[in-house]
Amino acid sequence: MNIVIIGGVAAGAKAASKIKRLLPDSKVSIYTDDTHVSYSSCGLPYYIEGNFKDYTALLVRSVEEFNKLGIDVYLKSRVDKILIEHKQVLVKDENNAYLVPYDKLIIATGASPLIPNISGINCKNNVFTVRKIEDGINIREKMFNSNHATIIGSGYIGMELLEAFVKNGLKVTVIEKNERIMSMFDDEISDLIKNRIESENNGNFEFLTSEIVSEFIGEDSVHTVKTLSGKEIQTDMVVICTGVKPNVEIARDAGLEIGVTGAIKVNKLMQTSVPDIYACGDCCEERHLVSGRSVWIPLGSTANKEGRCAAINAAGGVEQFEGVLGSAVTRCLNTTMSMTGLTEREASNIGFNPVSVMLEKHDKVGYMPEVGEIVLKVVADKITGMLLGAQAIGSIGADKRINSLTSALVAHMTVDEYSRNDLTYSPPYSPTIDPLINAMLMLQSKIQN
Amino acid sequence: MNIVIIGGVAAGAKAASKIKRLLPDSKVSIYTDDTHVSYSSCGLPYYIEGNFKDYTALLVRSVEEFNKLGIDVYLKSRVDKILIEHKQVLVKDENNAYLVPYDKLIIATGASPLIPNISGINCKNNVFTVRKIEDGINIREKMFNSNHATIIGSGYIGMELLEAFVKNGLKVTVIEKNERIMSMFDDEISDLIKNRIESENNGNFEFLTSEIVSEFIGEDSVHTVKTLSGKEIQTDMVVICTGVKPNVEIARDAGLEIGVTGAIKVNKLMQTSVPDIYACGDCCEERHLVSGRSVWIPLGSTANKEGRCAAINAAGGVEQFEGVLGSAVTRCLNTTMSMTGLTEREASNIGFNPVSVMLEKHDKVGYMPEVGEIVLKVVADKITGMLLGAQAIGSIGADKRINSLTSALVAHMTVDEYSRNDLTYSPPYSPTIDPLINAMLMLQSKIQN
């Protein structure tokens, strides 16, 4: 069995090692246009911040370690075309183009930063995106020679970089085209996130919302960022965090089906529309476990699971990947932001009849030292009582509540069922009545009325 | 409607305020032999430790606050007898004995420390238990004049006091009659708990396991604790933490049914064998949500829920309390210990066919600062694949994993179902693959074989 894997960051790397474990005699090769393989892209902001000094900590498995496992890794080797009829891929490296045959092909091409259409964006040596190891190294290096950084986009990575830059003494401007930062949350939660983060602001950062960057001014380097409304921000460096798009070009060219989300369509076996070709990770779409709809939520944890599932099936086994909840967490300074399932806005758009409650509670018993606050919003369907999603922000333990609810969402629990939960209690860990239980009791009376 | 509540710590206090909210015109009275009402008994070890200086922080609601709500509170007023036929209770206070009529009666008499049969135990002014506000005040005062403390019993409270005393500079001896400390956990977890706590030992505490205290030597004060094996421990104070027993005397005397566990038997409405009499909190037993059996697991969080449920039903509504998982958490020094559901030993005794996995993993991605370790044990039934329970020890976040599994246990999820969970991931919060998912994958292969 000869298995070719395109891409080797999370899904591809996971798939390779899983297949080799299942089929030790198989030939497993990873082709990637990247300079590194098997690394934690999610860790880049923490490397930039200086949580650890050596970027190699981000490397999960080196090329040599893959080789030891009997897996061949070809860096800077771009797969340019899939020749489905011939079961071959066309690879181009710095010097050559050559054909590689496969029995099974796994596409794990990932995603690429979405670059907004800004005048003067090209050829600027102080404009960065955050995706690859080099990006992290370059941003960190530039950061040490900068007094001001501009972050375009205020999603997870934008917020993580804000922390990184602030902790390294920079002044920061975050520019967001939406009305609110962290706009994947419901509006009132986004507002609270902003308030919380702003409460730690000593004049060293600013959020410009409802602002669209129109121009980068400067020769080799940007020195001024101009917005449509006419604002001009003097800056030493710019990082674009406006999201990512799935890398589906070679899949589309080969005629593989692309889903409604724009990512590669796969079944629960992670199989594309061509049986011997699998896709996994950020390049393919998933089923949402609450809505049942196709979604594209690229996350490292999902990529790992999909890589494992694709590998088992490619190796001749049977494994199904059921889908995702879009569970996510991050922090910015002392604020944890976490969510799972549907927001109220999403639930409404999809056609649920959402009811929600929002409450602010201590994260432990009030008399304990270092007591923090958690704001929890829980969304349920008024007709069925089914839990639909939750958002939590606040102290470090906010994500604990979300991870309790992910289980509930996977099990399709109702508010009544969850209200019977027996959560752990002790003064340093939670209030006597956990905020989750408070939320359920409040939801019950909203559903009954 | 005239409602009498016996006992006012957690369940009784909760029941009183809930009833008054539901039936503002009702007469609600709390009778208790205690000197305080509505307090956090679970917080006593943290008060003793000095996490907060003023014991009144432990008081959830004062007598005056109850009065303002229209609830009468009678302190140092012991209910001595329930006259079921006459719907009256006999109350004795310092001066009088008198009869109080009721329409509905709620028994929330709680539990009392179990005092081992030790020669010389009586009339010693430096021997304490940890249950009431005065206990906390007295122990804290004595602690400041002591160099060495002896803790008898190594359950949750024993471990919490160990932390409290060590942090206040005392030398401590913990004496445990079982072979292991924290023996409610499975043996291998208890061993790891001991190893972890011992790793923080700078010669200031010792565990004596398989040791039974035989004698307290001293006149007014104990100065030496002697064990059956002949050990003699010089000490300045002794705290007995050998568990509690439910206060069921007046219920039993009145002819109310006592359950197999020795606590008051109630149905899901928290109704005793006499319809107008309810019981809630540490004095009554519960149904275990996994095993379906009657259990007695006295915990503050459960008491609150039961008090609420009893109140709703006593007030004429309908509410069911389904049961408990025995979820618990505590910490000792830097070790978090948490569990839910059945241990492997319990599962086996009950007649399940348990399989289990135990794994040690980072609590966040390995390259993050302050990465900690979590040991997780998950137990499932080999025949049905149903999850039965879990135990986690380690860094502060260990309880996060348990609270995700409590939802799973309430929903009767199988290992396969839980393995589809989509937990949040970000480097400061968890590894890419959460230990919970690792555990499920390992369990799957154990169940399949």
Side-chain angles (χ1 to χ4, degrees), chain B residues 58-76:
Chain B
L58 294 168
L59 306 178
V60 180
R61 198 166 263 166
S62 67
V63 171
E64 292 68 36
E65 287 169 303
F66 276 109
N67 292 344
K68 258 185 218 160
L69 296 173
I71 297 165
D72 297 322
V73 179
Y74 302 88
L75 299 177
K76 300 186 196 169

Side-chain angles (χ1 to χ4, degrees), chain B residues 160-282:
Chain B
E160 289 161 7
L161 279 185
L162 171 61
E163 171 180 309
F165 291 153
V166 165
K167 289 209 174 164
N168 281 279
L170 275 70
K171 302 242 176 204
V172 185
T173 300
V174 180
I175 305 178
E176 169 59 54
K177 72 173 197 302
N178 289 307
E179 212 179 314
R180 293 180 172 81
I181 66 163
M182 290 299 277
S183 59
M184 67 288 278
F185 285 82
D186 278 325
D187 290 352
E188 66 275 28
I189 300 287
S190 301
D191 287 341
L192 289 173
I193 290 173
K194 191 176 173 192
N195 290 346
R196 260 194 80 110
I197 296 175
E198 283 281 20
S199 74
E200 294 191 65
N201 193 350
N202 299 314
N204 40 4
F205 59 91
E206 62 174 345
F207 293 115
L208 302 180
T209 51
S210 304
E211 288 281 358
I212 292 172
V213 174
S214 58
E215 197 181 346
F216 285 162
I217 304 171
E219 290 300 312
D220 297 339
S221 297
V222 179
H223 58 70
T224 303
V225 174
K226 218 172 145 179
T227 70
L228 265 189
S229 75
K231 286 209 171 63
E232 296 195 356
I233 300 111
Q234 316 298 318
T235 198
D236 301 313
M237 63 186 295
V238 177
V239 189
I240 296 174
C241 307
T242 48
V244 290
K245 58 173 195 296
N247 294 328
V248 300
E249 295 73 14
I250 54 166
R252 181 186 281 125
D253 286 353
L256 300 184
E257 193 174 349
I258 304 297
V260 289
T261 65
I264 301 170
K265 193 179 169 104
V266 288
N267 61 20
K268 286 187 182 180
L269 306 169
M270 304 312 295
Q271 217 169 15
T272 68
S273 53
V274 173
D276 285 335
I277 306 183
Y278 296 82
C280 51
D282 290 358

Side-chain angles (χ1 to χ4, degrees), chain B residues 58-111:
Chain B
L58 294 168
L59 306 178
V60 180
R61 198 166 263 166
S62 67
V63 171
E64 292 68 36
E65 287 169 303
F66 276 109
N67 292 344
K68 258 185 218 160
L69 296 173
I71 297 165
D72 297 322
V73 179
Y74 302 88
L75 299 177
K76 300 186 196 169
S77 300
R78 177 179 171 74
V79 173
D80 214 48
K81 220 173 177 54
I82 305 169
L83 308 165
I84 290 180
E85 308 280 305
H86 304 86
K87 295 189 92 167
Q88 290 182 326
V89 293
L90 174 65
V91 181
K92 289 186 179 168
D93 63 19
E94 283 167 294
N95 308 311
N96 301 298
Y98 54 98
L99 289 170
V100 175
Y102 65 80
D103 295 320
K104 306 273 184 185
L105 181 67
I106 296 180
I107 303 176
T109 42

Side-chain angles (χ1 to χ4, degrees), chain B residues 291-302:
Chain B
S291 71
R293 302 210 173 184
S294 293
V295 290
W296 183 61
I297 307 177
L299 288 170
S301 47
T302 304

Side-chain angles (χ1 to χ4, degrees), chain A residues 255-365:
Chain A
L256 299 184
E257 194 175 347
I258 303 298
V260 289
T261 66
I264 302 170
K265 192 179 170 101
V266 289
N267 61 19
K268 287 187 181 178
L269 306 169
M270 304 311 295
Q271 219 168 14
T272 67
S273 52
V274 173
D276 284 335
I277 305 183
Y278 297 82
C280 52
D282 290 357
C283 64
C284 71
E285 62 182 30
E286 294 89 22
R287 196 176 74 96
H288 196 288
L289 288 168
V290 175
S291 70
R293 301 212 173 182
S294 293
V295 289
W296 183 61
I297 306 176
L299 288 170
S301 47
T302 305
N304 252 280
K305 292 184 211 164
E306 292 180 345
R308 180 180 174 275
C309 177
I312 293 172
N313 292 308
V318 178
E319 178 81 7
Q320 298 204 342
F321 181 69
E322 294 293 332
V324 300
L325 296 168
S327 308
V329 62
T330 196
R331 72 162 193 226
C332 179
L333 303 170
N334 285 306
T335 295
T336 292
M337 304 162 250
S338 185
M339 70 191 302
T340 187
L342 304 175
T343 60
E344 189 167 12
R345 179 174 55 227
E346 286 169 333
S348 208
N349 289 343
I350 285 172
F352 285 102
N353 210 323
V355 284
S356 71
V357 293
M358 194 166 97
L359 61 171
E360 180 167 6
K361 294 278 176 185
H362 292 320
D363 64 347
K364 45 182 82 73
V365 178

